[in-house]
Amino acid sequence: MKILFYDTKNYDSSSFDAILPNFADKSADGKPITIEYIKSDLDPRTAALAEGFDAVCAFVSSDVGADTLQILHDKKVGLVLMRCAGFNNVDIEKATELGIRVMRVPGYSPEAVAEHAMALALACNRRLYKAYNKVRENDFSLSGLMGVNFYQKTAGIISTGKIGAAMCRICHGFGMRVIAYDIYPNESLKEFVEYVSLEELLAQSDLISIHCPLMDSTYHMINIDTIKQMKDGVVLVNTSRGALIKTDDLVEGIRMHKFGGVGLDVYEEETNNVFEDRSDEILEHSTTSRLLSFPNVMITSHQGFFTQEALEAIAETSLQNALDYQTGKESPNDVM
Ligand code: NAI
């Protein structure tokens, strides 16, 4: 079975190549899985490159819309392996119509993202980015570096799915009181997590960490009205999706001195690695750049998932998905 792997980064080929030999003797038709890696991303211009391949492997930035799928179908590609959880960039209706199977990796390492959320919270609260730069400049003074203890403070976790639950456990380990809001409370957390309304969470939390999916009902859930309900000095962290926060309102809230710190791994403008292009024009007009001008804001570039363990899990599940396709097995990782 031949897979064409789009938008390859070095860490992708390393993690897939490391695990590929484990799948060598499991193939159904005696033909081992082989992977060809290319740097181009999947879109209607590059889909034809998949001629002669059984499957393509794509990512969050790929364009797996109707045009791409039609070309893949014409080239006799039967499987799209999404090496991520999200599939909002896949035209599922079209894939179903064409009989192309789409599979994904629903959860790879919730702890990777939750640990990054706590890293952002700590870095903002203790101004680690500022401390790092000051000491490098030989300035060992403590001015501007004072934070607060998290111990015995209240952590408010918005959504307690896989990642939010991991964040609850981390905050509990820090000796924090943990409260949470979710439309479906997680029974396994009830020993140390108190479920409250969103309004109560906003009003009581010293640290707020957002872990809910982006949907119509959660779009811009953090806006000037919800920001005003928060405690002064709150540390706000978002590792989920940028558009959960209305950026202009966040800027207004920061100007109102509402926040002790803001840590973001995701931001509204983040599509197709806009910042990898880094044109001056993009940076000049971007709201993300406005956010970066504040001393209590720290932004990372969607790296929450980016640990060795998560990459291994993504490779393992994607190749298992390929095998399940080959053997015609149903899978919970099927997108339709
Ligand atoms: P999950 O599916 O396990 O949990 C989602 C939770 O959100 C569920 O408990 C659900 O009940 C809750 N929920 C749904 N609608 C809600 C609403 N209207 N209000 C409140 N809660 C609601 O998802 P998981 O794996 O925990 O991922 C959460 C999010 O993290 C993903 O949607 C994704 O946006 C983000 N993510 C970020 C990564 C990064 O690298 N920064 C990597 C992976 C995911």
Side-chain angles (χ1 to χ4, degrees), residues 277-293:
D277 295 338
R278 247 171 237 283
S279 83
D280 287 345
E281 202 189 337
I282 288 173
L283 287 180
E284 208 173 298
H285 297 292
S286 86
T287 46
T288 312
S289 292
R290 276 165 68 206
L291 281 173
L292 279 170
S293 67

Side-chain angles (χ1 to χ4, degrees), residues 7 123 217 226 246 270 277 286 315:
D7 190 27
S217 58
T226 45
K246 190 171 178 192
E270 165 205 11
D277 295 338
S286 86

Side-chain angles (χ1 to χ4, degrees), residues 159 161-163 182 184 211 213 215 239-241 265 302 305:
S159 294
K162 291 181 282 298
I163 298 171
D182 196 308
Y184 300 110
H211 299 286
M215 298 175 298
T239 54
S240 203
R241 282 293 178 267
D265 189 42
H302 205 143
F305 76 99

